[in-house]
Amino acid sequence: MSVVKINVLTVPAEQRETLEKRFASRAHAVENSDGFEWFELLRPVEGTDSYLVYTRWRDEESFQAWMEGPMKAAHQGGGATEGGERPRPAASGSTLWSFEVVQQAAPKTD
């Protein structure tokens, strides 16, 4: 069964737009990775300042390969400004949650 990784990002209110724009500019950066199944960026509505970055993978090995390859490369020197400086992170904290999918359901189709 698949594995789910949820990156919990603490994002101050004044950085929300920045975070969302950065994710939008990286659209499709993960879709071609072997074993990738799903991505969602979830914006908090009430009661928290944490965004959830939800990804689902065929297996742990696929996620680790992405972490050590494309994701690592994207976060090393990527997004530098004209002056060569990296932009300040939009999130003030990050925690990674890991899950195995043990049950799932989809809408019935006619």
Side-chain angles (χ1 to χ4, degrees):
M1 274 261 162
S2 302
V3 295
V4 170
K5 302 294 182 173
I6 300 174
N7 194 1
V8 183
L9 302 175
T10 304
V11 182
E14 66 274 8
Q15 291 294 321
R16 286 181 166 199
E17 184 176 346
T18 299
L19 178 89
E20 292 179 22
K21 283 181 180 179
R22 286 181 185 170
F23 269 93
S25 72
R26 283 190 275 207
H28 312 297
V30 72
E31 284 93 331
N32 293 324
S33 296
D34 185 47
F36 170 78
E37 296 179 352
W38 199 258
F39 162 85
E40 291 178 321
L41 175 63
L42 306 176
R43 177 192 303 138
V45 176
E46 59 184 338
T48 184
D49 58 355
S50 294
Y51 275 72
L52 301 181
V53 183
Y54 173 99
T55 57
R56 190 174 70 210
W57 300 86
R58 176 181 57 229
D59 50 35
E60 183 66 26
E61 293 75 20
S62 298
F63 172 73
Q64 291 301 326
W66 175 75
M67 286 285 290
E68 290 302 315
M71 195 286 295
K72 193 173 193 177
H75 285 84
Q76 290 179 340
T81 63
E82 288 182 24
E85 297 176 12
R86 291 201 59 201
R88 200 179 101 214
S92 62
S94 174
T95 302
L96 183 65
W97 295 344
S98 299
F99 300 88
E100 291 179 332
V101 177
V102 293
Q103 292 184 24
Q104 60 186 17
K108 291 186 178 186
T109 57
D110 295 328

